[in-house]
Amino acid sequence: MADFNEIAKQFVAHYYTTFDTDRKSLAPLYREGSMLTFQSDQLMGAGAITEKLASLPFAKVVHKYDRTDAQPTPNGILIVVAGQLLVDDGEQPLSYTQTFLLAQDAAGSYYVQNDIFNLVVF
Amino acid sequence: MADFNEIAKQFVAHYYTTFDTDRKSLAPLYREGSMLTFQSDQLMGAGAITEKLASLPFAKVVHKYDRTDAQPTPNGILIVVAGQLLVDDGEQPLSYTQTFLLAQDAAGSYYVQNDIFNLVVF
């Protein structure tokens, strides 16, 4: 396996840059069997996941991630991100955690097999 | 697969009950290839992981978990826990998140393949 820390770092940067500029463009990162749990809402498949992300009630969002931990798994990489996000030019950042399990397809490309997102409640 | 939510719930209850009563007894939940990232410290194997957990500088600890999210994966279950812990009869609970990737061995038993623990910094 290539350096999982480097792949994780590149994935996280790509994911949030895409999310913050045009979140519909996240679709290729998910597949038919991909799962997202977003604040307890459960969705499966690239289509349903992208629809959910597109429907979130804000026009602008900026993710700032403070910490990224990664570990190799038998078929991919486990990534845990802790960060803050700011929506619609608000001044109060919201803390969040997001866990990604990346898997490799037959061609060796990584995609999001599992995704669990939670705002951190203080 | 059996009901992954039920297995996740039982695993989390068993894990923290064991942690809070005799954390050395967590060893059988890990295997030789298991990985733990504990506040950026990286450990591999049941022996090193158990030693790390045993060395943590508190005598008593109580975990309270507020939220558990689970998803099935191709060979196991992904679990994200958000909770609070109280050490040595302190009065200030510390918020934490812990991500477990459970895998199944040939006999069908679940063990912890990957474990990432972080205190939540406010």
Side-chain angles (χ1 to χ4, degrees):
Chain A
M1 169 165 310
D3 180 345
F4 64 90
N5 279 313
E6 190 51 40
I7 295 168
K9 207 171 126 185
Q10 287 175 13
F11 167 79
V12 168
H14 176 60
Y15 186 90
Y16 291 120
T17 301
T18 306
F19 199 117
D20 293 354
T21 49
D22 176 18
R23 56 192 189 267
K24 280 181 194 162
S25 304
L26 292 169
L29 296 178
Y30 296 92
R31 301 288 161 90
E32 279 324 296
S34 299
M35 279 169 269
L36 168 66
T37 303
F38 188 93
Q39 297 272 86
S40 304
D41 274 5
Q42 298 184 5
L43 301 120
M44 186 185 250
I49 289 170
T50 312
E51 210 170 294
K52 171 69 182 177
L53 297 178
S55 78
L56 296 174
F58 47 77
K60 287 175 66 175
V61 60
V62 179
H63 289 78
K64 237 193 75 189
Y65 38 99
D66 307 320
R67 174 193 277 277
T68 301
D69 290 303
Q71 289 181 358
T73 71
N75 184 41
I77 303 174
L78 179 65
I79 304 173
V80 176
V81 181
Q84 300 194 309
L85 55 86
L86 210 57
V87 300
D88 289 335
D89 301 318
E91 290 181 1
Q92 186 62 49
L94 304 167
S95 291
Y96 73 92
T97 63
Q98 190 158 13
T99 296
F100 299 100
L101 180 60
L102 304 187
Q104 265 186 303
D105 64 20
S109 298
Y110 285 94
Y111 64 94
V112 181
Q113 167 66 42
N114 298 85
D115 180 352
I116 297 178
F117 173 93
N118 280 315
L119 291 176
V120 177
V121 181
F122 291 91
Chain B
M1 164 160 320
D3 180 345
F4 63 92
N5 278 312
E6 189 53 38
I7 295 168
K9 206 172 127 185
Q10 287 174 15
F11 167 79
V12 168
H14 176 61
Y15 186 91
Y16 291 120
T17 300
T18 306
F19 200 116
D20 294 353
T21 50
D22 177 18
R23 55 191 189 266
K24 279 180 195 163
S25 304
L26 292 169
L29 296 179
Y30 296 93
R31 302 288 162 88
E32 280 322 296
S34 299
M35 279 168 268
L36 168 66
T37 302
F38 187 92
Q39 297 273 89
S40 303
D41 274 5
Q42 298 185 6
L43 302 119
M44 186 185 247
I49 290 170
T50 313
E51 212 171 292
K52 171 69 181 176
L53 296 178
S55 77
L56 296 175
F58 47 78
K60 287 175 65 175
V61 58
V62 178
H63 288 79
K64 238 192 75 191
Y65 38 99
D66 307 319
R67 173 194 276 279
T68 300
D69 290 301
Q71 289 181 358
T73 71
N75 184 41
I77 303 173
L78 179 65
I79 304 174
V80 176
V81 181
Q84 299 193 311
L85 55 84
L86 211 57
V87 300
D88 289 334
D89 302 319
E91 291 182 357
Q92 187 62 48
L94 305 168
S95 292
Y96 74 92
T97 62
Q98 191 159 13
T99 296
F100 299 100
L101 180 60
L102 303 187
Q104 267 186 302
D105 64 19
S109 298
Y110 285 95
Y111 64 95
V112 181
Q113 167 64 43
N114 298 83
D115 180 352
I116 297 178
F117 174 93
N118 280 314
L119 290 176
V120 177
V121 181
F122 290 93

